[in-house]
């Protein structure tokens, strides 16, 4: 989709997807399982909160599969939100909210008090365990009875160091090979965004907010499931797994 600004939002979405897939070649598989579980547990017309939505990656796949769904995307990143808003401009099924998930009051900015599903992917690993646990409690209050929360992210099992090392070495060898074929990494993608006339200013603001990309904790999937149960969900477990990542599903 190209707007009056001359910006091709579809091209930016494609560029973001390729950059993310360099780190996670199984990225689409986790989205497929996520949406399978949405359909199984809350049906094909869910009201969804796309948490730490970025460019609206989950929302795009949600609406492609479930045209009757609606989505609220929430994020703090002004550059990624610019791409998201440009992509879905004019689609009344989608709204976006600028909010800091570390602020306890962020749910008050949402257009709805409850959601059938809250979905997030590769976004919450920048939070450390204590604020993440607090966030899980706030999410539990937003999910309706019988609704779901899903988080697909880096979830390392520290009890298997040799397996982890072997997986990491193999992944990085494949990433190095892809890099020789011209794939953009995180830093290079942001350099391009900073040169775009429409994205330059929001990209500068983004780095004022976040600085360089920082990591929080990467606790195990078992930790996530346990904390979700402690914070108000009735059931929680892993529903998809790779050697380094997992998709944890919790039912209210």
């Amino acid at each position: 989709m190209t707007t009056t600004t001359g910006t091709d939002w579809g091209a930016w979405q494609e560029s973001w997807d390729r950059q993310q897939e360099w780190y996670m070649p199984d990225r689409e598989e986790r989205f497929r399982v996520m949406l399978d579980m949405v359909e199984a547990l809350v049906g094909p017309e869910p009201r969804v909160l796309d948490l730490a939505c970025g460019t609206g990656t989950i929302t795009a796949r949600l609406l492609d599969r479930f045209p009757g769904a609606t989505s609220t995307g929430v994020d703090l990143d002004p550059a990624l939100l610019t791409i998201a808003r440009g992509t879905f401009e004019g689609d009344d099924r989608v709204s976006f909210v600028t909010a800091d998930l570390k602020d306890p009051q962020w749910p008050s900015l949402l257009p709805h008090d409850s959601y059938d599903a809250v979905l997030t992917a590769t976004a919450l690993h920048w939070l450390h365990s204590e604020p993440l646990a607090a966030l899980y409690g706030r999410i539990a209050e937003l999910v309706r009875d019988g609704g779901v929360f899903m988080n697909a992210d880096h979830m390392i099992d520290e009890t298997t160091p040799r397996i982890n090392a072997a997986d990491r070495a193999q992944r990085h060898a494949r990433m190095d090979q892809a890099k020789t074929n011209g794939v953009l990494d995180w830093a290079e993608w942001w350099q391009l965004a900073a040169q775009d006339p429409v994205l330059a200013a929001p990209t500068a603001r983004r780095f004022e907010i976040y600085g360089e990309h920082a990591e929080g904790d990467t606790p195990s999937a078992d930790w996530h499931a346990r904390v979700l149960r402690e914070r108000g969900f009735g059931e929680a477990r892993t529903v998809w797994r790779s050697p380094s990542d997992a998709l944890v599903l919790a039912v209210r």
Side-chain angles (χ1 to χ4, degrees):
M1 174 181 173
T2 304
T3 66
T4 54
T5 64
T7 302
D8 186 341
W9 298 119
W12 277 109
Q13 292 283 1
E14 179 75 13
S15 175
W16 178 259
D17 283 344
R18 299 293 81 77
Q19 179 257 128
Q20 289 286 286
E21 286 171 356
W22 182 62
Y23 297 96
M24 297 165 290
D26 49 21
R27 185 168 176 255
E28 294 301 327
E29 177 69 8
R30 68 190 73 191
F31 291 142
R32 182 190 66 78
V33 175
M34 179 181 281
L35 295 180
D36 280 350
M37 293 295 96
V38 167
E39 185 175 24
L41 285 156
V42 299
E45 296 186 354
R47 176 193 288 172
V48 170
L49 178 61
D50 186 350
L51 193 72
C53 65
T55 65
T57 298
I58 290 174
T59 292
R61 285 149 182 80
L62 172 79
L63 297 181
D64 184 58
R65 179 160 167 179
F66 306 125
T70 59
S71 178
T72 303
V74 59
D75 208 305
L76 187 61
D77 189 312
L80 299 184
L81 280 174
T82 296
I83 295 172
R85 289 188 168 109
T87 299
F88 295 97
E89 184 178 5
D91 191 333
D92 60 10
R93 298 171 298 175
V94 184
S95 61
F96 292 100
V97 173
T98 300
D100 184 350
L101 297 181
K102 292 182 287 186
D103 179 354
Q105 302 304 314
W106 70 266
S108 68
L109 302 173
L110 300 175
H112 305 291
D113 293 332
S114 69
Y115 289 84
D116 300 311
V118 178
L119 309 176
T120 188
T122 326
L124 301 186
H125 57 269
W126 52 269
L127 286 173
H128 291 284
S129 298
E130 188 172 331
L132 180 57
L135 177 63
Y136 279 172
R138 294 184 195 107
I139 292 168
E141 295 175 356
L142 287 168
V143 176
R144 68 160 172 84
D145 287 346
V148 300
F149 168 69
M150 278 180 269
N151 180 13
D153 212 336
H154 310 312
M155 299 182 187
I156 305 299
D157 186 341
E158 300 293 354
T159 68
T160 58
R162 287 183 294 170
I163 294 172
N164 297 347
D167 170 63
R168 179 179 175 82
Q170 184 179 61
R171 281 189 292 112
H172 280 265
R174 290 173 175 169
M175 289 167 70
D176 289 346
Q177 181 58 49
K179 199 77 170 65
T180 65
N181 296 330
V183 174
L184 296 177
D185 63 21
W186 171 267
E188 290 166 335
W189 190 90
W190 281 109
Q191 288 169 7
L192 280 183
Q195 296 165 13
D196 183 89
V198 175
L199 293 176
T203 295
R205 291 198 302 273
R206 184 243 181 246
F207 281 96
E208 289 173 4
I209 294 168
Y210 291 107
E212 294 302 320
H213 189 61
E215 296 288 337
D217 301 329
T218 52
S220 69
D222 288 343
W223 180 93
H224 287 270
R226 174 179 58 79
V227 171
L228 285 163
R229 289 190 296 268
E230 291 172 353
R231 296 296 172 131
F233 287 91
E235 297 180 8
R237 72 170 179 88
T238 301
V239 292
W240 176 89
R241 169 91 260 182
S242 78
S244 60
D245 289 29
L247 170 59
V248 171
L249 162 63
V251 181
R252 189 75 166 86

